[in-house]
Amino acid sequence: MSEFRIQTRYPVYPGGGCIPYTGYIVQVFVPGLFKGKWVDIKGFANKTQAEELLRHLKGK
């Protein structure tokens, strides 16, 4: 079973704009030989959308 999480990032610039906002990034953990890394799946401007994707990925 894969591990998923929501990571908060600031600043995020949508579409190359100049107004920063807080973004919510859904990530998956990819194991490696000695250590793993978190890889971005999709970013959202709204936390509820990120949580919805997280529930979908976890199968709940």
Side-chain angles (χ1 to χ4, degrees):
M1 179 111 186
S2 298
E3 292 182 54
F4 299 100
R5 73 177 182 182
I6 296 175
Q7 185 72 26
T8 304
R9 285 199 192 143
Y10 181 85
V12 176
Y13 298 96
C18 60
I19 300 173
Y21 71 94
T22 301
Y24 300 94
I25 313 298
V26 179
Q27 298 179 328
V28 63
F29 185 75
V30 178
L33 184 59
F34 296 109
K35 63 180 182 178
K37 63 180 178 176
W38 289 96
V39 178
D40 296 347
I41 296 175
K42 184 157 176 74
F44 296 97
N46 189 329
K47 189 172 183 177
T48 56
Q49 291 175 331
E51 290 171 343
E52 183 179 328
L53 177 60
L54 191 63
R55 280 194 305 275
H56 179 73
L57 291 171
K58 289 183 175 182
K60 293 182 180 179

